[in-house]
Amino acid sequence: MLAIVLWTLVCFSTGQADEYTAGIEHWRQQRLAALTAEEGFLSLTGLYWLREGKNTFGSAEGNDLIFPDGAPSHMGSFTLQGDRVSALITASGVTRLDTAGVEQPVQMLDFTDLQNADPPALRFRSLRFYPIERDGRYGVRLKDTQSPTRLDFAGIPSFDADPAWRIEGHFAPFAEPRSINVPSIIGTVSQTPWPGNVVFSVEGKEYRLAVFGEASDAQFFVVFGDKSNGQETYGGGRFLIVDHHADGRATIDFNKAYSPPCAFTPYATCPLPPEQNRLDLYVQAGEQYSGDH
């Protein structure tokens, strides 16, 4: 890291370094607030895959989807027909927020466009649930705003912020956009838009990361792995947002590398690093992981 350290001393005065560290701390506070929000990923308590046809749900043992104690014994059913999901709610007290943010009772719903976005959640007391689509598989995601995982969360361990890991590279677009196969923790593979790579150097060695999105995007999403995975960081890799500037520069700030939802809950459906993004580099920056790797 000597070359990076020397670069940092040239580019950052003490005041700039302090300002940068404060900025990273602010980013981390925002990250923690999102993770621990009422319907953040720490509230995830269930993931139920749907079979074709009718799928009953509720807390009673005879249901196809067994919700936790405290839910009504029989709440209704989700029906999967091809790529369409509908819901019939038979229990009282199930609501959904309308466009004005007011809770309204729900009886029948058809869910469309699940491939592009998760729908607003159905609500019962502290429970939030809704259908999802992941690479052609359909399921129901369950959250509980009173989940002990959320309420008892102790925080996210991280490496000390180090300006040396904020690296300026450049974006190398393809002549024609491509797609890249991105595996997931649930065993599926999705074809994701791949406009090119960000190219950067560490101690004189060049590295590349495949970015997801469109070539014109001001920010790219990256799923990457490095030699710290399974040691000090999550074994399934980490996520990163790369800033793409109008002049072609790309800012890769590994201090903002963050663990995927799967590091905090077994009910998430996270992408894994594609082969192109497994760096032969030990990135001692960003979020760490203290759980079971």
Side-chain angles (χ1 to χ4, degrees), residues 208-247:
R208 292 173 177 262
L209 285 171
V211 298
F212 307 157
E214 304 295 332
S216 59
D217 289 347
Q219 292 185 316
F220 297 126
F221 179 59
V222 173
V223 183
F224 76 98
D226 70 274
K227 288 186 173 182
S228 72
N229 297 162
Q231 304 295 322
E232 294 175 279
T233 63
Y234 180 61
R238 290 182 288 173
F239 295 170
L240 185 65
I241 302 297
V242 172
D243 290 328
H244 175 211
H245 306 284
D247 60 2

Side-chain angles (χ1 to χ4, degrees), residues 88-123:
L88 172 64
I89 306 300
T90 58
S92 61
V94 178
T95 62
R96 195 185 196 195
L97 296 183
D98 64 16
T99 54
V102 178
E103 290 194 44
Q104 299 289 351
V106 174
Q107 185 175 18
M108 297 186 67
L109 280 172
D110 286 317
F111 298 93
T112 59
D113 205 29
L114 291 177
Q115 292 86 351
N116 293 316
D118 294 342
L122 300 169
R123 306 159 72 94

Side-chain angles (χ1 to χ4, degrees), residues 129-251:
F129 55 100
Y130 50 92
I132 62 171
E133 185 273 345
R134 295 294 184 270
D135 302 325
R137 297 181 68 186
Y138 291 83
V140 172
R141 171 170 278 175
L142 176 68
K143 296 182 177 182
D144 185 351
T145 62
Q146 299 303 301
S147 165
T149 303
R150 171 180 174 260
L151 298 180
D152 300 336
F153 188 61
I156 310 171
S158 299
F159 292 100
D160 290 340
D162 184 351
W165 282 107
R166 182 183 183 275
I167 301 170
E168 292 294 341
H170 69 274
F171 174 54
F174 298 130
E176 296 290 337
R178 306 178 188 178
S179 61
I180 188 170
N181 289 329
V182 179
S184 78
I185 200 165
I186 61 173
T188 60
V189 176
S190 63
Q191 288 195 333
T192 302
W194 179 22
N197 301 308
V198 292
V199 183
F200 63 98
S201 295
V202 175
E203 295 189 342
K205 183 176 179 180
E206 184 178 278
Y207 298 91
R208 292 173 177 262
L209 285 171
V211 298
F212 307 157
E214 304 295 332
S216 59
D217 289 347
Q219 292 185 316
F220 297 126
F221 179 59
V222 173
V223 183
F224 76 98
D226 70 274
K227 288 186 173 182
S228 72
N229 297 162
Q231 304 295 322
E232 294 175 279
T233 63
Y234 180 61
R238 290 182 288 173
F239 295 170
L240 185 65
I241 302 297
V242 172
D243 290 328
H244 175 211
H245 306 284
D247 60 2
R249 290 181 299 112
T251 303

Side-chain angles (χ1 to χ4, degrees), residues 1-10 162 164 203:
M1 293 293 292
L2 177 60
I4 299 181
V5 171
L6 291 174
W7 174 87
T8 303
L9 292 174
V10 171
D162 184 351
E203 295 189 342

Side-chain angles (χ1 to χ4, degrees), residues 39-100:
E39 297 186 32
F41 279 107
L42 290 177
S43 68
L44 273 179
T45 54
L47 176 61
Y48 309 88
W49 295 111
L50 297 174
R51 57 174 175 78
E52 187 74 14
K54 182 179 178 180
N55 301 259
T56 59
F57 71 102
S59 60
E61 287 295 327
N63 287 292
D64 298 307
L65 317 179
I66 301 177
F67 275 30
D69 292 341
S73 57
H74 299 281
M75 299 183 71
S77 60
F78 285 95
T79 298
L80 173 63
Q81 293 179 306
D83 60 355
R84 297 180 57 192
V85 177
S86 60
L88 172 64
I89 306 300
T90 58
S92 61
V94 178
T95 62
R96 195 185 196 195
L97 296 183
D98 64 16
T99 54

